[in-house]
Amino acid sequence: MSIRAVVFDLYGMLTEDLGRDGYDALLRQMAAVLLLSADGFSAAWCQVGRRLTTGGFATLEEGLTHICNVLGTQADAERIEAAVELRVGYIRANLCPRDDAVETLTRLKSLGLKIALISDCGLEVPMLWSETPFAPLVDTALFSSREGLCKPAAVLYLRACERLGVLPEECLYVGDGNGQELSGAKAVGMTAVLIAVPGAVHYDYGRLEAASWQGPRVAALSDLMNLVD
Ligand SMILES: [Mg+2]
C-alpha cells in the first residue's frame, strides 16, 4: 500500500530533544521561585508527570498548586505564575525546528502527503503550537495533554488516521523511540521508522526501544524523502 501520510513525533524528531542539564536547571529555577527545595520539587514534578501530560490538570497553574500542596506549602498566585512563566519560556525556547525540519515538511506536503503530529507533552506545547513554524505545515496535531492519553495507546494513532482520512497502513510514523512510540505505531499497522541523529542529546527516560529497534531508520529528517517516493 502506498504512503499517503507521515505522522511525526515532536521532541527529538522535529526539534532537538530536551537536554538533561537544561531541564534540571529549569526545575531548580521553578523550585526557587516557589520557595521549595530543589530535590523535593523535582521528585514531586516527576511523580505528577504522567498527570501533567495526560490532561490530569486543566492548567499548569493547577498542577503546580497541587505539587505545592503535596509538599505541604501554599504558594501564592504570583509565585505560581512566575514558575509557569519559567516553564513556558523554556518550552518556547526548545520548540525550534531542527535544520531540515521545515524544509522536509514542506517537501512532503508538496508531494501531496498529509502530515500529523503526535506528542507526549504538557499543556505548554499546545498553548504555543500556533507560534511555531510547524503549525501551518501539520494537518492535525495530537497532544497527549489535550487528548488525555500518551503513546503507545493505539487510540492515539487511530485518531490521527481518522482526522487525516487515511488508513494506518498508509502511514509512516517517525520518532526517536521514546515511550514505546515505534512499537505502538507498528501495532496499529503503520510503518514505524526510527530517527537516530548522530550526536543527539536526550533527556531520557525509556529509550530502550531506540536501542533495540530492528526496523527502518533514518539519520536525518531529509532522509525521509527516500521512504515516500
Ligand atoms: Mg521524541
Side-chain angles (χ1 to χ4, degrees), residues 9 11-12 176 178 181:
D9 171 36
Y11 287 117
D176 65 337
N178 271 335
E181 61 183 343

Side-chain angles (χ1 to χ4, degrees), residues 51-203:
R51 278 177 72 185
L52 285 165
T53 53
T54 52
F57 299 101
T59 61
L60 182 53
E61 283 84 346
E62 200 180 298
L64 289 174
T65 302
H66 172 81
I67 287 175
C68 290
N69 292 340
V70 164
L71 294 173
T73 65
Q74 263 193 319
D76 63 44
E78 267 180 37
R79 290 192 174 277
I80 296 276
E81 213 42 55
V84 167
E85 273 175 35
L86 282 171
R87 170 80 182 171
V88 171
Y90 171 80
I91 295 295
R92 179 182 277 121
N94 283 281
L95 280 175
C96 295
R98 273 192 163 140
D99 282 349
D100 50 355
V102 170
E103 187 195 336
T104 303
L105 289 175
T106 305
R107 286 172 69 194
L108 291 169
K109 276 194 86 73
S110 72
L111 293 175
L113 291 159
K114 296 186 176 178
I115 309 286
L117 175 106
I118 304 179
S119 178
D120 286 351
C121 60
L123 290 158
E124 310 83 7
V125 178
M127 226 171 86
L128 297 168
W129 183 247
S130 65
E131 292 179 16
T132 72
F134 306 123
L137 296 165
V138 171
D139 297 300
T140 186
L142 291 86
F143 306 103
S144 62
S145 49
R146 286 272 172 85
E147 302 295 328
L149 68 179
C150 282
K151 293 178 270 190
V155 66
L156 213 42
Y157 302 90
L158 297 174
R159 233 176 246 177
C161 291
E162 194 181 311
R163 291 182 196 171
L164 293 178
V166 298
L167 297 170
E169 292 76 12
E170 295 173 312
C171 295
L172 277 188
Y173 179 89
V174 281
D176 65 337
N178 271 335
Q180 305 296 310
E181 61 183 343
L182 301 174
S183 43
K186 196 175 168 188
V188 299
M190 294 181 176
T191 299
V193 180
L194 171 70
I195 185 163
V197 174
V201 176
H202 300 287
Y203 179 65

Side-chain angles (χ1 to χ4, degrees), residues 6-73:
V6 184
V7 183
F8 285 89
D9 171 36
L10 177 61
Y11 287 117
M13 180 67 227
L14 294 176
T15 71
E16 299 294 337
D17 205 355
L18 301 172
R20 180 176 288 276
D21 291 349
Y23 197 85
D24 290 345
L26 167 75
L27 293 183
R28 283 196 299 276
Q29 289 164 13
M30 290 171 74
V33 301
L34 292 168
L35 306 178
L36 296 169
S37 83
D39 289 347
F41 178 73
S42 182
W45 178 267
C46 290
Q47 254 180 6
V48 301
R50 187 81 178 175
R51 278 177 72 185
L52 285 165
T53 53
T54 52
F57 299 101
T59 61
L60 182 53
E61 283 84 346
E62 200 180 298
L64 289 174
T65 302
H66 172 81
I67 287 175
C68 290
N69 292 340
V70 164
L71 294 173
T73 65

